[in-house]
C-alpha cells in the first residue's frame, strides 16, 4: 500500500500531520476531529513510507483499553505494527524496570503495590495510626510522586502536615528494603534510570541504549499527562528522536488527578523547533453545537487556540431551559424522553456531581423509564447512603438485625465482633422481658463488656434514645441531620478517602434533601423508608432494560463518548462552575463545559434552576456564568414557569450582569444587585480573609463571600490545601483569631 493509498480518506490537515517528520510535532486535535485515527495512520506511515523498524517506535497512552484499540487499528492498516511497542506510561515503566532491574537496584521479580498495599505498608511502620489517616498519607505520597517530589524536597504543594515528609521518607526506606515498587515508582524510577537525575547518559548507559532503540516516540491524550510523565518523556527523547504528541488543551479536565494543562501549552518551549498542527474539522457535531462550545472555551486565556468547523451546517440551536427547581428539571427530562421513547438510548443527561443523579433516578423509576448510570453506583446503592438508611431503619424498628449489624460499629466505636456477639446473647436472654429489642440488649450487655466497649455501648444507647425523642415534629431532614452529626457519619465517610470524601458528603446532603419531604414523626420516618424501598425496586426494574435506556453520567465521565442528544443539567453558579475565584479552576471548569457540549451529535439542552435544595434547604441560585458567555443568538431560550429579566444575555464582559429569574408576582432581583451585595457583605458572619475553624477540615481562611438569595455563601481555603464551599449558617464554621491560623 503506497502513501497515496494509505492516506486516502484523510482530510488535508490530517494528511499533512501524518506526513510530518523531523522536528517535534504537537497535534492539537479538537473534539471529534479523528485524533486516534491520525496517530494510528502515523504509525503505519512511519513503517511503510519512512522505513522505521517496528521495534524503533514507542507509542504511549493512558489506559490499557486505549492501548489495545490503538494496536488493533494500527495492525489493521499495517500488519508490521504488531511489533510496535504500544503501552501505557505505567506499563512502559514496568517493562523498563524489569528489563534493567539490576541497574535500577531491583529484582526482576519485584511486585507492584496498589493503594491498599501502600496503606498496609504504612500500617506496619505506624501501627498506632488509624487506617483512614494512613490512607490519606498514601494518597499524598502518590501525589508527591506525580509531582516528581522526593521526601527531601519541598512538599508544601502537597499540604502543610509537618509529619508528612518524615512519613514519606520512612515509607520510601521500607519499600526499598522490601525491594518492591508502587505505581508512582513506575514513572519516577525510570526517570532516574534514564539519566534524569544523574548518570552519564552516554551511549552505553541505560538512557543511551533506550534512546538509540526508540527513534520515534508518540504520545496520545497528552493533555492528561502529569509532571512526572512529562519528565519521563523528556528523558526518553534524545536529539535524534522524533517526538509527536497528540492532545487537546481544551479537553484537559483532570487537574484533580494531577494532570497539568501546562505540559501541552509549553510543548513548543520544552521541545525547541516544534511545529503545531491543528485538526479543527469536527466529524461529530452540528455547527450550532460547535459555535456554543467555541464561544465559551474561547474565554480561557490558558490555551493555544483553535476553532472547530464542520460540514454539518444544519441542526437546531442548542436550547436553554430555565426552570423553577430541580424537581421541575427532572420532570422536564422525563417529558422529553416520554415524547420520543425511541431516542432514549442515544440521550445522555449530564451533571457535575454524582449526588445530582438521585432526583433523575427517582423520577425515571416512577415513570418506568429505563436508565443506566455510567461511572458510579445508583444513588441508593452507594455505601454512605446504605449506611444512612440502616441508621434510620434502626430508629423505625429497634429489632432490625441487618441494620444493627451494619452500623453498630460504623463509624468504629470499639464494638467489634466479640462485643456484638455478647449483645446478641443478651438479646436472647432478655427477649421475654424486653421483646426483640437490640437497643435494650445493647444496654443490658454493656456491663459485661470491656471498659472501652462498655462506654461505647452506653454512649450509643444514650444517643439513640435522645435522638429518637426528637421524632416529634418539624421536618424529617432536621432529624436525619442530627443522626448524621451525633453518630459522625459524614465525618467518617469524608475521612475514609480525601479524593472521594467530598462526593460522599454531597451524596449524604442530597439524602437530606430527599428526607425534607416528610414530617419528623415515627410515621414520617416509616413513610420515607417505605418509599425508598419502593423506589429502589422500581429503579432495579427500570434500569434492567438497557436496550433503550437513557444514560445518566457526570461530565467528567463523558470524555471519549458521544450521543445524539445531550442534556446538560445543573447550570447554576456555585454548582457549575463551583467557584469563579480560582482562575485556574475556573478555566478547567470551562473546559469541562466544552467537553460536555461536544459530546452531542445533533441536539444540546441546557437546564438552569431558579432554586435547588441543598442540605435539605432550598436556596435561590443564579444561572451559570457559562450561560452568560454564550451569545444570545446561539441559543433558543425556553422559560418553563420562570421569566427571565430582560437583560443582555451572554455579554458579561460588557457589564451586562447576571441572568436573573423572577416568578409571577415576585421579582427576585429588584434594585442594584451589586449595591445589595456590598451592603450584605458588610454584614457577613464570615467576612473575606477572616480565619475560621471546622471540626472536620481544620483551620482555614475565607477566600470569598457571596450571597445566594438570603443565604451567605463562603469559599474557605484550608491549611491542608483543600478549598470547600459552604452555606454559612449550616457550615459548622467557627471564627478564630488570625493568630491561631
Amino acid at each position: 500500500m503506497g502513501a497515496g493509498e494509505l492516506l486516502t480518506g484523510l482530510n488535508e490537515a490530517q494528511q499533512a500531520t501524518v506526513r510530518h517528520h523531523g522536528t517535534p510535532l504537537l497535534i492539537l486535535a479538537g473534539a471529534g476531529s479523528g485524533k486516534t485515527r491520525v496517530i494510528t495512520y502515523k504509525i503505519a506511515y512511519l513503517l511503510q513510507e519512512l522505513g522505521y523498524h517496528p521495534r524503533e517506535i514507542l507509542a504511549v497512552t493512558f489506559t490499557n483499553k486505549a492501548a489495545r484499540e490503538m494496536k488493533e487499528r494500527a495492525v489493521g492498516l499495517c500488519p508490521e505494527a504488531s511489533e510496535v511497542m504500544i503501552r501505557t506510561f505505567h506499563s512502559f515503566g514496568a517493562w523498563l524496570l524489569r528489563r534493567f532491574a539490576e541497574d535500577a537496584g531491583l529484582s526482576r521479580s519485584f511486585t507492584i503495590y496498589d493503594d491498599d498495599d501502600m496503606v498496609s505498608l504504612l500500617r506496619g511502620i505506624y501501627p498506632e495510626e488509624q487506617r483512614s489517616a494512613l490512607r490519606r498519607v498514601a494518597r499524598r505520597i502518590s501525589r508527591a510522586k506525580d509531582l516528581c517530589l522526593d521526601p527531601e524536597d519541598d512538599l508544601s504543594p502537597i499540604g502543610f502536615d509537618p509529619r508528612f515528609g518524615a512519613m514519606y521518607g520512612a515509607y520510601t526506606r521500607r519499600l526499598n528494603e522490601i525491594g518492591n515498587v508502587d505505581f508512582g515508582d513506575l514513572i519516577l524510577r525510570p526517570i532516574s534510570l534514564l539519566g534524569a537525575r544523574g548518570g552519564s547518559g552516554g551511549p552505553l548507559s541505560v538512557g543511551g541504549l533506550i534512546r538509540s532503540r526508540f527513534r520515534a516516540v508518540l504520545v496520545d491524550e497528552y493533555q492528561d499527562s502529569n509532571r512526572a510523565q512529562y519528565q519521563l518523556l523528556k528523558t526518553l527523547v534524545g536529539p535524534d528522536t522524533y517526538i509527536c504528541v497528540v492532545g487537546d488543551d481544551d479537553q484537559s479536565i483532570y487537574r484533580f488527578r494531577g494532570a497539568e494543562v501546562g505540559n501541552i501549552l509549553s510543548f513548543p518551549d520544552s521541545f525547541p523547533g516544534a511545529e503545531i498542527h491543528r485538526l479543527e474539522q469536527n466529524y461529530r457535531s452540528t455547527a450550532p453545537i460547535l459555535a456554543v462550545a467555541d464561544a465559551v472555551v474561547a474565554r480561557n486565556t490558558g490555551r493555544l487556540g483553535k476553532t472547530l468547523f464542520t460540514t454539518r451546517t444544519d441542526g437546531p440551536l442548542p436550547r436553554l431551559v430555565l426552570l423553577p427547581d430541580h424537581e421541575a428539571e427532572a420532570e422536564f427530562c422525563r417529558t422529553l424522553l416520554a415524547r420520543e421513547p425511541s431516542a432514549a438510548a442515544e440521550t445522555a443527561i449530564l451533571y457535575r456531581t454524582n449526588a445530582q443523579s438521585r432526583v433523575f433516578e427517582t423520577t425515571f423509576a416512577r415513570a418506568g423509564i429505563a436508565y443506566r448510570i455510567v461511572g458510579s453506583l445508583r444513588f441508593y446503592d452507594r455505601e454512605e447512603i446504605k449506611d444512612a438508611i440502616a441508621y434510620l431503619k434502626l430508629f423505625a424498628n429497634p429489632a432490625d438485625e441487618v441494620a444493627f449489624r451494619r452500623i453498630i460499629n460504623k463509624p468504629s466505636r470499639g464494638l467489634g465482633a466479640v462485643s456484638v456477639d455478647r449483645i446478641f446473647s443478651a438479646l436472647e436472654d432478655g427477649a421475654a422481658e424486653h421483646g426483640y429489642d437490640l437497643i435494650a440488649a445493647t444496654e443490658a450487655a454493656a456491663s459485661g463488656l470491656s471498659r472501652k466497649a462498655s462506654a461505647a455501648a452506653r454512649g450509643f444507647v444514650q444517643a439513640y434514645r435522645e435522638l429518637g425523642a426528637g421524632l416529634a415534629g418539624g421536618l424529617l431532614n432536621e432529624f436525619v441531620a442530627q443522626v448524621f452529626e451525633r453518630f459522625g457519619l459524614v465525618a467518617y465517610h469524608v475521612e475514609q478517602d480525601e479524593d472521594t470524601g467530598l462526593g460522599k458528603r454531597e451524596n449524604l446532603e442530597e439524602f437530606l434533601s430527599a428526607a425534607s419531604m416528610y414530617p419528623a414523626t415515627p410515621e414520617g420516618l416509616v413513610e420515607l423508608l417505605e418509599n425508598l424501598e419502593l423506589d429502589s425496586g422500581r429503579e432495579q426494574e427500570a434500569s434492567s432494560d438497557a436496550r433503550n435506556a437513557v444514560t445518566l453520567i457526570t461530565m467528567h465521565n463523558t470524555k471519549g463518548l458521544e450521543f445524539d442528544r445531550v442534556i446538560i443539567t445543573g447550570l447554576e453558579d456555585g454548582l457549575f462552575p463551583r467557584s469563579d475565584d480560582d482562575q485556574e479552576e475556573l478555566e478547567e471548569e470551562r473546559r469541562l463545559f466544552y467537553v460536555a457540549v461536544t459530546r452531542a451529535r445533533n441536539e444540546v439542552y441546557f437546564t438552569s434552576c431558579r432554586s435547588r435544595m441543598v442540605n435539605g434547604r432550598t436556596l435561590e441560585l443564579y444561572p451559570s456564568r457559562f450561560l452568560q458567555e454564550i451569545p444570545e443568538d446561539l441559543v433558543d431560550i425556553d422559560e418553563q414557569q420562570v421569566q427571565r429579566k430582560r437583560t443582555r444575555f451572554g455579554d458579561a464582559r460588557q457589564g451586562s450582569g447576571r441572568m436573573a429569574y423572577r416568578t409571577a408576582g415576585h421579582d427576585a432581583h429588584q434594585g442594584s444587585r451589586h449595591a445589595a451585595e456590598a451592603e450584605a457583605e458588610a454584614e457577613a458572619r464570615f467576612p473575606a480573609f477572616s480565619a475560621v475553624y471546622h471540626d472536620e477540615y481544620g483551620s482555614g481562611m475565607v477566600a470569598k463571600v457571596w450571597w445566594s438569595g438570603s443565604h451567605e455563601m463562603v469559599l474557605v481555603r484550608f491549611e491542608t490545601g483543600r478549598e470547600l464551599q459552604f452555606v454559612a449558617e449550616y457550615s459548622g464554621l467557627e471564627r478564630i483569631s488570625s493568630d491561631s491560623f
Side-chain angles (χ1 to χ4, degrees):
M1 184 186 297
E5 187 178 353
L6 174 66
L7 302 182
T8 300
L10 298 181
N11 65 39
E12 187 175 334
Q14 290 172 335
Q15 289 186 22
T17 296
V18 170
R19 286 195 175 100
H20 177 276
H21 190 258
T23 59
L25 176 64
L26 166 60
I27 305 172
L28 280 182
S33 63
K35 67 174 181 58
T36 304
R37 189 180 191 202
V38 165
I39 201 167
T40 54
Y41 270 76
K42 196 163 187 67
I43 291 172
Y45 188 84
L46 291 172
L47 294 171
Q48 291 186 351
E49 301 300 322
L50 299 184
Y52 276 72
H53 189 280
R55 295 183 73 256
E56 294 177 323
I57 301 173
L58 171 64
V60 184
T61 187
F62 283 83
T63 68
N64 290 320
K65 179 182 177 183
R68 288 193 300 270
E69 290 177 353
M70 189 184 297
K71 171 83 78 171
E72 290 170 3
R73 294 174 71 168
V75 170
L77 293 170
C78 176
E80 293 93 327
S82 62
E83 297 182 49
V84 171
M85 184 177 289
I86 302 177
R87 292 177 176 265
T88 65
F89 272 103
H90 289 94
S91 173
F92 171 76
W95 171 84
L96 188 68
L97 291 178
R98 293 203 192 278
R99 183 178 176 89
F100 297 98
E102 185 176 347
D103 297 272
L106 294 167
S107 163
R108 281 181 178 270
S109 59
F110 69 81
T111 59
I112 301 168
Y113 279 2
D114 61 14
D115 294 344
D116 288 338
D117 295 328
M118 292 177 69
V119 175
S120 296
L121 183 59
L122 284 165
R123 191 69 184 270
I125 305 171
Y126 300 100
E128 72 283 359
E129 295 284 347
Q130 291 189 355
R131 196 170 185 85
S132 59
L134 295 177
R135 187 176 289 110
R136 290 195 293 273
V137 173
R139 293 280 188 182
R140 290 170 184 160
I141 290 172
S142 295
R143 288 181 181 176
K145 293 187 177 186
D146 286 345
L147 292 172
C148 277
L149 296 176
D150 285 330
E152 300 78 21
D153 293 331
D154 176 12
L155 298 172
S156 59
I158 309 301
F160 302 98
D161 183 349
R163 300 179 58 206
F164 175 62
M167 297 179 82
Y168 183 12
Y171 168 86
T172 300
R173 288 189 293 273
R174 181 67 61 85
L175 190 61
N176 289 339
E177 290 169 0
I178 295 171
N180 288 334
V181 300
D182 57 28
F183 273 90
D185 289 330
L186 296 180
I187 307 297
L188 280 191
R189 280 181 173 265
I191 292 172
S192 179
L193 187 62
L194 293 170
R197 300 189 177 187
S200 66
L204 297 181
S205 68
V206 173
L209 291 171
I210 292 298
R211 284 186 284 273
S212 65
R213 170 176 171 174
F214 294 114
R215 294 175 50 213
V217 177
L218 312 176
V219 183
D220 194 17
E221 301 285 8
Y222 188 58
Q223 78 280 345
D224 293 338
S225 61
N226 60 34
R227 188 178 303 176
Q229 290 158 344
Y230 162 78
Q231 289 292 344
L232 177 59
L233 185 63
K234 286 285 289 182
T235 64
L236 277 170
V237 176
D240 299 320
T241 309
Y242 176 59
I243 173 68
C244 169
V245 302
V246 185
D248 185 0
D249 50 348
D250 291 331
Q251 294 190 72
S252 180
I253 60 172
Y254 296 123
R255 183 183 176 206
F256 66 96
R257 294 181 186 169
E260 297 196 9
V261 68
N263 290 350
I264 195 168
L265 298 179
S266 64
F267 185 86
D269 298 322
S270 301
F271 297 92
E275 293 184 28
I276 300 176
H277 284 202
R278 289 171 170 81
L279 301 181
E280 298 174 303
Q281 182 170 354
N282 178 284
Y283 290 92
R284 177 187 303 148
S285 307
T286 63
I289 292 172
L290 297 182
V292 167
D294 277 338
V296 174
V297 81
R299 299 292 186 109
N300 279 356
T301 58
R303 65 192 297 258
L304 295 171
K306 61 185 177 304
T307 302
L308 299 180
F309 69 92
T310 180
T311 58
R312 298 187 61 201
T313 55
D314 57 345
L317 292 179
R319 181 177 168 194
L320 168 60
V321 185
L322 303 175
L323 296 153
D325 55 37
H326 62 291
E327 298 283 353
E329 181 178 60
E331 180 61 21
F332 166 76
C333 294
R334 184 203 66 77
T335 302
L336 192 63
L337 291 165
R339 192 182 306 149
E340 301 177 72
S342 61
E346 284 299 335
T347 298
I349 296 175
L350 279 56
Y351 36 78
R352 181 64 179 83
T353 67
N354 280 313
Q356 291 168 256
S357 75
R358 179 194 65 86
V359 69
F360 296 110
E361 293 180 56
T362 301
T363 300
F364 294 168
R366 291 176 179 175
I369 294 175
Y371 65 88
R372 66 188 185 105
I373 298 180
V374 176
S376 67
L377 293 170
R378 290 178 301 169
F379 185 81
Y380 291 110
D381 285 342
R382 294 165 191 168
E383 178 190 11
E384 62 276 14
I385 301 303
K386 282 182 171 288
D387 291 343
I389 292 173
Y391 270 102
L392 298 186
K393 283 183 174 179
L394 195 62
F395 277 98
N397 178 11
D400 191 327
E401 179 179 339
V402 173
F404 181 84
R405 287 187 181 277
R406 183 179 183 96
I407 56 85
I408 186 58
N409 201 39
K410 192 175 188 181
S412 176
R413 52 178 64 92
L415 294 172
V418 173
S419 298
V420 172
D421 286 344
R422 290 182 178 174
I423 290 172
F424 276 92
S425 294
L427 177 69
E428 294 175 3
D429 294 341
E433 181 180 354
H434 301 292
Y436 203 82
D437 187 330
L438 283 160
I439 305 304
T442 302
E443 184 175 40
S447 59
L449 302 178
S450 68
R451 180 180 299 179
K452 179 180 178 181
S454 177
R458 290 190 171 97
F460 180 85
V461 171
Q462 181 180 358
Y464 177 92
R465 288 179 172 161
E466 289 177 356
L467 286 166
L471 281 171
L475 294 178
L476 190 59
N477 64 291
E478 297 170 354
F479 168 76
V480 177
Q482 292 172 4
V483 172
F484 289 175
E485 177 68 25
R486 189 71 176 266
F487 290 114
L489 193 61
V490 176
Y492 167 78
H493 282 291
V494 168
E495 290 170 0
Q496 290 304 295
D497 189 322
E498 60 186 1
D499 286 344
T500 62
L502 179 58
K504 290 177 179 290
R505 182 189 186 95
E506 290 169 341
N507 290 337
L508 289 168
E509 290 173 350
E510 181 62 25
F511 185 81
L512 291 179
S513 297
S516 68
M517 308 303 293
Y518 302 86
T521 62
E523 295 77 15
L525 176 58
V526 170
E527 185 181 1
L528 168 66
L529 293 172
E530 179 179 311
N531 285 335
L532 292 182
E533 290 297 328
L534 292 174
D535 286 342
S536 178
R538 293 189 189 106
E539 286 169 6
Q540 293 192 24
E541 182 178 338
S543 61
S544 64
D545 180 11
R547 291 170 297 176
N548 196 36
V550 62
T551 297
L552 303 180
I553 188 170
T554 65
M555 297 179 197
H556 277 100
N557 281 327
T558 61
K559 183 82 177 295
L561 303 178
E562 56 185 65
F563 306 88
D564 285 347
R565 177 170 60 189
V566 165
I567 307 170
I568 303 174
T569 64
L571 283 164
E572 301 103 34
D573 269 357
L575 183 58
F576 187 53
R578 293 190 174 190
S579 167
D580 59 6
D581 188 58
D582 183 325
Q583 187 61 26
E584 286 188 12
E585 182 177 341
L586 177 61
E587 295 213 351
E588 174 145 328
E589 294 268 286
R590 198 178 273 120
R591 293 192 293 269
L592 185 57
F593 180 88
Y594 170 89
V595 168
V597 173
T598 55
R599 298 311 93 195
R601 300 186 191 102
N602 304 324
E603 295 178 81
V604 170
Y605 290 81
F606 303 114
T607 62
S608 181
C609 298
R610 178 183 180 275
S611 66
R612 188 174 293 273
M613 193 166 286
V614 178
N615 218 357
R617 293 171 172 82
T618 300
L619 301 182
E620 290 191 5
L621 302 168
Y622 300 114
S624 168
R625 65 175 293 160
F626 297 153
L627 294 176
Q628 303 196 47
E629 294 173 354
I630 304 171
E632 189 169 3
D633 61 348
L634 295 184
V635 293
D636 280 332
I637 302 175
D638 180 359
E639 304 182 34
Q640 302 271 320
Q641 306 171 43
V642 174
Q643 295 179 344
R644 183 171 57 85
K645 187 182 283 187
R646 304 310 296 178
T647 58
R648 283 189 64 201
F649 171 59
D651 198 3
R653 289 175 297 180
Q654 298 185 30
S656 67
R658 298 180 184 272
M659 288 173 57
Y661 292 118
R662 60 183 174 87
T663 54
H666 175 69
D667 190 336
H669 299 281
Q670 296 187 19
S672 169
R673 178 172 173 271
H674 293 294
E677 284 186 347
E679 181 180 351
E681 187 166 350
E683 300 175 358
R685 70 177 72 189
F686 298 110
F689 307 113
S690 59
V692 294
Y693 178 81
H694 193 281
D695 285 341
E696 294 179 31
Y697 306 112
S699 300
M701 183 169 289
V702 176
K704 181 185 177 184
V705 183
W706 71 103
W707 296 81
S708 180
S710 61
H711 296 275
E712 177 186 343
M713 309 291 292
V714 292
L715 179 72
V716 180
R717 290 178 182 158
F718 291 97
E719 60 182 1
T720 59
R722 294 187 69 178
E723 289 189 358
L724 294 174
Q725 178 179 305
F726 299 91
V727 182
E729 61 192 293
Y730 311 125
S731 64
L733 292 169
E734 177 184 346
R735 287 280 298 274
I736 60 175
S737 166
S738 58
D739 295 336
S740 303
F741 177 57

